[in-house]
Amino acid sequence: KQEVTQIPAALSVPEGENLVLNCSFTDSAIYNLQWFRQDPGKGLTSLLLIQSSQREQTSGRLNASLDKSSGRSTLYIAASQPGDSATYLCAVRPRGDYKLSFGAGTTVTVRA
Amino acid sequence: EAQVTQNPRYLITVTGKKLTVTCSQNMNHEYMSWYRQDPGLGLRQIYYSMNVEVTDKGDVPEGYKVSRKEKRNFPLILESPSPNQTSLYFCASGAGANYGYTFGSGTRLTVV
């Protein structure tokens, strides 16, 4: 069974600092990995999708890397802003399955 | 705009009163799914559907029903809601293996 772990569970940084969020998974047989953002009590907004054959994806200030062999992905957010405060979830889609396996999330607070 | 639409956004009901949460997507996705999110337990899959008239149980299907009569719609039915079904519910849809999932904005259900 695929298990997804996100470390740290919570993170507080001053505005302008770069954020590094980690996600690890136990089974490397995956189709892809997706990073989501969730504001309190709200829906999941897709940030980046990385296919199993890719090493990284970038969108604006966001960059996500994937090391499938070691079961790790890292989400980098450059020059953080208070508006980046949210919970970030990573989700893995195992090969041969349609169900996403989610991590518990990292709750980020960016202090002005 | 490509989206997954859930209704209602908030619902308070009493134990035993049947309810339906609707989900509709406008992306012609074959795959649709329901998740519930609870503090400390994360996101768990309830039911999923690979295509019209094809549905299957996820990890926590007890107390729920679904139907997929049309490709765009995937309603979640609680025949006799109980307080332990108080949760935040998400509908999601997706295309093939190379694509990520799109989530709805969520339905906050409270059963008293």
Side-chain angles (χ1 to χ4, degrees):
Chain A
K1 178 186 175 185
Q2 179 77 263
E3 293 186 2
V4 182
T5 304
Q6 290 187 248
I7 294 174
L11 188 59
S12 179
V13 300
E15 183 176 3
E17 193 165 300
N18 296 332
L19 289 165
V20 180
L21 310 180
N22 297 301
C23 172
S24 62
F25 47 96
T26 54
D27 188 344
S28 62
I30 64 171
Y31 278 132
N32 54 52
L33 183 146
Q34 198 167 357
W35 282 95
F36 293 91
R37 169 187 170 135
Q38 185 178 27
D39 293 293
K42 303 294 185 182
L44 278 67
T45 301
S46 181
L47 298 174
L48 290 167
L49 172 71
I50 312 177
Q51 302 297 341
S52 62
S53 59
Q54 296 177 317
R55 298 286 292 182
E56 67 176 342
Q57 278 285 352
T58 298
S59 176
R61 295 185 294 114
L62 275 60
N63 175 276
S65 66
L66 175 65
D67 184 344
K68 194 177 66 169
S69 60
S70 66
R72 294 180 182 179
S73 177
T74 302
L75 177 66
Y76 302 90
I77 303 177
S80 62
Q81 305 167 358
D84 294 328
S85 298
T87 296
Y88 293 83
L89 296 159
C90 76
V92 170
R93 181 172 169 184
R95 190 164 293 279
D97 198 349
Y98 281 81
K99 182 178 68 176
L100 293 177
S101 295
F102 281 89
T106 296
T107 298
V108 171
T109 302
V110 180
R111 309 186 302 271
Chain B
E1 179 188 354
Q3 60 185 356
V4 176
T5 303
Q6 293 179 231
N7 281 297
R9 290 293 311 278
Y10 302 92
L11 179 61
I12 301 175
T13 190
V14 296
T15 299
K17 185 176 181 181
K18 180 179 178 180
L19 66 91
T20 299
V21 184
T22 64
C23 174
S24 180
Q25 51 95 3
N26 62 1
M27 296 164 282
N28 201 36
H29 286 167
E30 291 186 344
Y31 177 81
M32 297 186 74
S33 180
W34 278 101
Y35 289 83
R36 61 178 289 175
Q37 186 179 35
D38 302 287
L41 296 175
L43 280 140
R44 295 176 293 170
Q45 189 184 57
I46 303 171
Y47 266 95
Y48 66 95
S49 170
M50 305 283 284
N51 212 326
V52 175
E53 303 293 357
V54 180
T55 64
D56 209 345
K57 297 177 181 179
D59 295 324
V60 288
E62 295 78 20
Y64 305 95
K65 287 177 58 177
V66 293
S67 68
R68 188 92 181 270
K69 293 182 170 54
E70 304 167 283
K71 196 171 188 178
R72 64 183 292 124
N73 296 323
F74 191 45
L76 180 68
I77 303 158
L78 285 72
E79 294 267 358
S80 182
S82 62
N84 64 12
Q85 293 178 297
T86 293
S87 186
L88 180 58
Y89 291 86
F90 291 104
C91 180
S93 74
N98 294 329
Y99 299 92
Y101 291 119
T102 301
F103 280 74
S105 298
T107 295
R108 171 74 68 182
L109 173 66
T110 302
V111 184
V112 298

